[in-house]
């Protein structure tokens, strides 16, 4: 009666690219460099997009002194005097980093189907990096075909609700399960 699709790499190409860099008290290059240091050894498509942006901008990416992935939230790293946090609202909230005054900027990027990575350096917001993943060529047709067969179409994703809803609207998807941690996706089904 229903088909559930994962978003990244299934409905989307899984090859996201950096579309916007919004620095706060740092330059755009510093934001990308510090984010890339944190993401250098990450295998997540969003991390790869950030590292690729740094490389294409000819920014040297040193190794972090320490690195840890925080599943479903982002990454944390140390580089010299910089304690780097890069991830979603949950990661910022868990680390007591105030993002309320930047919520309008974050939300407006999310309304454009972009995933926003929030960068904090030493517990202070340093910038936003928006990443967009393009839809696969036949995603819309697949959803339309399933609807014609009388199936309900659901999308499950770790992405934030606003971006997930914007993508679902583009594809005509019936229900969205957003902000789902990788280890809880099976339970959601």
């Amino acid at each position: 009666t229903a088909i559930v699709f994962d978003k990244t790499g299934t409905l989307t190409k899984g090859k996201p690219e950096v579309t916007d860099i919004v620095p706060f008290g740092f330059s755009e290059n510093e934001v990308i460099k510090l984010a890339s240091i944190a993401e250098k050894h990450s295998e997540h498509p969003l991390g790869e997009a950030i590292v690729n942006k740094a490389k294409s901008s000819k920014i040297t990416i040193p190794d972090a002194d320490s690195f840890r992935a925080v599943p479903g939230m982002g990454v944390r790293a140390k580089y010299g005097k910089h304690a780097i946090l890069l991830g979603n609202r949950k990661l910022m909230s868990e680390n007591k980093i105030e993002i309320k005054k930047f919520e309008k900027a974050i939300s407006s990027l999310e309304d454009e189907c972009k995933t926003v990575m929030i960068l904090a350096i030493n517990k202070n917001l340093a910038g936003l990096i928006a990443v967009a993943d393009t839809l696969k060529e036949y995603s819309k047709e697949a959803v339309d075909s399933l609807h014609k067969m009388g199936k309900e179409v659901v999308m499950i994703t770790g992405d934030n609700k606003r971006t997930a809803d914007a993508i679902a609207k583009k594809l005509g998807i019936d229900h969205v399960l957003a902000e789902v941690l990788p280890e809880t996706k099976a339970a959601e089904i």
Side-chain angles (χ1 to χ4, degrees), residues 20-39:
D20 305 80
I21 302 164
V22 184
F24 305 118
F26 286 82
S27 71
E28 279 192 17
N29 280 355
E30 287 171 321
V31 167
I32 281 294
K33 180 175 183 163
L34 291 165
S36 295
I37 290 168
E39 291 285 8

Side-chain angles (χ1 to χ4, degrees), residues 146-163:
L146 289 164
H147 281 145
K148 283 182 189 129
M149 296 159 83
K151 306 293 182 204
E152 185 180 354
V153 182
V154 182
M155 181 177 75
I156 191 166
T157 180
D159 212 339
N160 69 80
K161 180 118 177 76
R162 185 178 252 113
T163 301

